[in-house]
Amino acid sequence: MPELVYPPVILAAKTMFRALDLRLRVEGSQHVPRTGGAVLASNHVSYLDFIFCGYGARDSGRLVRFMAKDAVFRHKVSGPLMRGMKHIPVNRAAGAGSYASAVGALRRGEVVGVFPEATISRSFTVKDLKNGAARMAQEAAVPLLPVALWGTQRLWTKGRPRTLTRRHTPITILVGEPIDPAAHADGNALTAELRTRLTALVDRAQREYPDQPAGPDDAWWQPAHLGGTAPTPEQAAELDRPGRRTPAS
């Protein structure tokens, strides 16, 4: 079927990039196969990560079908766009159907995008990963590619106001070498390898990033282990704990 929705959305995103003069650095896009299925597994630091993860596949001419929570598909604005771009809804109460849809897409030769941390990392470090991305790569016998994103949290992330008009922001997109799922005994072993590679990519993206916080009030977007004021992984886990009451609740 013709792609009637995805190309205009990509054009709108590129127009936004130019208008904001985002300083995009893309490395490793040649690793995305030009044909056949593949899983892109990205770290998650921003509500905009799907845009930039998908941008990492542009040189291969691939349209990435992202797995996203089904509430986004029910929204009156985003819903028609998500369905038109053939993204894959995820119902966490009935995950088997979403998983089967993703495996089917991979077997048809689609590139599927996944955020295996499941939720945004408040610490801006790689959280424990769900094994769904690895299992679907193994079941469909397609490569698994780690993708590191950095800088996107400065535009819009959890617990911070949106700054979507922020100009000249550096954005780093690193696509790692494909991981062969057949070389790993099971989904857990493959997930462990994915986390090792993803952590190394994110660490490189952070250390090579051209900007530094302008001062203490601007250090929120830098992880604690690099001198920033983002929560530590332990503090972030506490903030994400189900049922946790905040002073405003």
Side-chain angles (χ1 to χ4, degrees):
M1 295 179 64
E3 297 285 350
L4 300 179
V5 178
Y6 220 140
V9 171
I10 291 174
L11 179 61
K14 289 181 176 178
T15 300
M16 179 191 76
F17 296 164
R18 288 193 295 270
L20 297 178
D21 190 29
L22 298 182
R23 293 151 55 192
L24 293 166
R25 172 196 171 197
V26 182
E27 185 179 307
S29 57
Q30 75 277 5
H31 295 314
V32 181
R34 292 184 176 275
T35 60
V39 177
L40 300 186
S42 174
N43 70 312
H44 202 7
V45 294
S46 167
Y47 292 110
L48 303 176
D49 285 339
F50 70 97
I51 297 174
F52 295 100
C53 181
Y55 190 75
R58 79 195 194 289
D59 285 350
S60 295
R62 305 305 300 274
L63 300 177
V64 183
R65 315 299 180 182
F66 284 95
M67 301 187 74
K69 59 184 179 180
D70 58 353
V72 180
F73 291 78
R74 296 195 301 268
H75 191 275
K76 63 181 180 180
V77 176
S78 62
L81 291 174
M82 296 294 283
R83 291 189 294 272
M85 289 186 282
K86 304 174 188 175
H87 294 314
I88 302 168
V90 176
N91 183 341
R92 291 178 180 171
S98 305
Y99 177 87
S101 296
V103 171
L106 291 167
R107 287 174 170 163
R108 292 192 301 272
E110 298 278 11
V111 176
V112 173
V114 182
F115 297 101
E117 294 169 285
T119 58
I120 288 174
S121 171
R122 296 176 187 263
S123 68
F124 306 136
T125 60
V126 178
K127 300 165 60 177
D128 289 339
L129 306 184
K130 307 294 185 183
N131 66 9
R135 290 191 297 111
M136 67 178 65
Q138 287 186 320
E139 186 167 340
V142 300
L144 176 63
L145 285 72
V147 180
L149 304 175
W150 191 245
T152 58
Q153 77 277 16
R154 300 176 71 188
L155 300 176
W156 189 13
T157 193
K158 184 180 289 187
R160 299 289 306 185
R162 284 175 287 184
T163 54
L164 300 180
T165 58
R166 194 178 193 283
R167 292 173 55 79
H168 316 303
T169 307
I171 303 291
T172 301
I173 306 164
L174 303 182
V175 182
E177 294 184 1
I179 306 171
D180 179 4
H184 297 80
D186 54 32
N188 290 333
L190 182 55
T191 299
E193 176 67 13
L194 171 64
R195 189 172 191 271
T196 295
R197 295 204 196 184
L198 189 56
T199 298
L201 276 179
V202 170
D203 184 68
R204 182 159 74 87
Q206 291 170 340
R207 294 182 186 278
E208 295 177 357
Y209 193 67
D211 276 8
Q212 293 295 320
D217 292 341
D218 188 45
W220 63 266
W221 57 268
Q222 191 81 303
H225 72 277
L226 293 179
T229 56
T232 65
E234 295 75 20
Q235 291 168 335
E238 176 62 20
L239 290 170
D240 287 337
R241 181 168 55 83
R244 176 185 180 274
R245 294 183 61 84
T246 64
S249 63

